[in-house]
Amino acid sequence: MAKMYYPYLRGKQFELIALRELLESDLLDERVVPVIEPVKASSTLQTVLVQFQQKGHSIAVIQNPKVAPYQPFNNAVVNELKRDAAFIPTMFIDQVSDLAALADYTNPRKMVVISKDVRFEMPENDDAWQQVLKLIAVDNTRLIRRATHHVIELDDSFAKEDRNADYADKVDQFFSDNHLHFQEDGFSGFSDYSVIGSEYTDKGFAPMAVAIHIVYFDAADNLRIMHFVSDSNSDITDPAGKFSEALGKLVAWYESDDFDHQKNDSHALAAFSAMYTLKQYSGLGIAKKLSIQHHLEIMGRFLHNRYGA
């Protein structure tokens, strides 16, 4: 079965939990292969890797992450996992010779990530280069045009705003149509940063506004994104109340006649609705987790229906 969608996540706690719960509930289609850039060799990350191995579901893990200091695991459990067919060793590279670092991994499937500012000449008759999965930033116009064999386009589809309150003026936005056109564009797959965006920060803060971001398929199967924003945004007090305001708008949309349940319903949206009914607030990390789960679930279902079993 062809792997098509490679969501790029940063390996923070709630992103890992999102993957773990999707896998446990059999809601992660086999065409969806997460790419993890770890920020910490945590027990949660190790548990997720073990679960993917047990399920036989592919996952790519970057061995030389850039966003945070990181020492890879060095224990018997993970070293054994790295020899499993479900584990795709992945590295950032700056030149083709960097591929040699992947030779130590026995898995024949390997991946490289090429950032927008990387430049090098295309190698000719190089088996290692031809066989490796190449995740290339779409901003790297030179390599994205010239690279061949197993190329995956990495696009930052999430239009990040400086403040959560700014999303209130852009309630409904275009997100992506790469899932419709990646093959005709010559790619083997497509990738994005889900509803998180490429910008990384390891610092938490109390927001003045709460925003919940939910993607959905429109009538033409383009992916769009809704931003549900709180109203009482003058200070940082009462995050639970702000969340309830944003959640109320999400649930009203979910229960409206405009919502296409066949295309866009998910276990995550049902969980959001239940939270609203119960007046439950468990922290903004839960909202982030559910937003990611919703995206990956409906994208997997779309790919399953479009490309068959």
Side-chain angles (χ1 to χ4, degrees), residues 69-81:
Y70 171 76
Q71 291 296 322
F73 289 105
N74 186 19
N75 61 49
V77 173
V78 176
N79 289 338
E80 180 64 28
L81 286 175

Side-chain angles (χ1 to χ4, degrees), residues 69 163 292:
R163 306 174 307 159
I292 293 171

Side-chain angles (χ1 to χ4, degrees), residues 34-51:
V35 179
I36 304 298
E37 182 177 4
V39 296
K40 182 180 179 182
S42 65
S43 59
T44 305
L45 175 58
Q46 179 169 314
T47 298
V48 167
L49 296 180
V50 169
Q51 289 176 319

Side-chain angles (χ1 to χ4, degrees), residues 50-202:
V50 169
Q51 289 176 319
F52 271 76
Q53 183 267 335
Q54 291 173 342
K55 287 274 192 175
H57 193 118
S58 296
I59 185 170
V61 184
I62 296 174
Q63 302 301 295
N64 59 340
K66 293 184 175 182
V67 293
Y70 171 76
Q71 291 296 322
F73 289 105
N74 186 19
N75 61 49
V77 173
V78 176
N79 289 338
E80 180 64 28
L81 286 175
K82 289 180 179 180
R83 291 188 283 271
D84 189 85
F87 183 92
I88 304 175
T90 305
M91 295 190 72
F92 284 103
I93 66 168
D94 295 316
Q95 53 193 356
V96 176
S97 59
D98 293 342
L99 283 173
L102 288 171
D104 295 336
Y105 296 89
T106 57
N107 191 336
R109 289 195 303 159
K110 300 175 175 66
M111 177 184 286
V112 296
V113 182
I114 304 174
S115 304
K116 65 180 181 180
D117 54 350
V118 170
R119 302 288 185 271
F120 53 74
E121 293 299 320
M122 292 290 115
E124 296 182 7
N125 303 318
D126 185 318
D127 288 341
W129 171 252
Q130 291 182 4
Q131 293 304 314
V132 73
L133 297 168
K134 293 169 276 289
L135 192 67
I136 306 178
V138 294
D139 297 17
N140 192 331
T141 53
R142 181 176 180 276
L143 291 187
I144 203 76
R145 288 172 180 167
R146 300 186 186 185
T148 57
H149 306 287
H150 311 298
V151 177
I152 302 157
E153 57 176 339
L154 172 58
D155 194 7
D156 188 0
S157 301
F158 185 77
K160 181 76 172 177
E161 297 292 339
D162 293 333
R163 306 174 307 159
N164 283 343
D166 295 338
Y167 293 109
D169 296 326
K170 303 171 182 178
V171 175
D172 187 355
Q173 290 181 300
F174 178 83
F175 188 80
S176 177
D177 60 2
N178 291 335
H179 54 286
L180 298 175
H181 304 296
F182 71 96
Q183 289 182 323
E184 66 190 67
D185 291 340
F187 300 114
S188 299
F190 62 100
S191 177
D192 58 40
Y193 297 89
S194 188
V195 294
I196 306 302
S198 61
E199 180 181 323
Y200 172 78
T201 179
D202 61 354

Side-chain angles (χ1 to χ4, degrees), residues 196-234:
I196 306 302
S198 61
E199 180 181 323
Y200 172 78
T201 179
D202 61 354
K203 293 179 171 54
F205 63 94
M208 294 184 69
V210 167
I212 305 172
H213 312 288
I214 301 293
V215 297
Y216 72 97
F217 290 106
D218 66 15
D221 289 332
N222 297 300
L223 203 60
R224 299 185 63 84
I225 186 165
M226 296 284 291
H227 307 290
F228 303 100
V229 183
S230 57
D231 296 313
S232 54
N233 303 329
S234 59

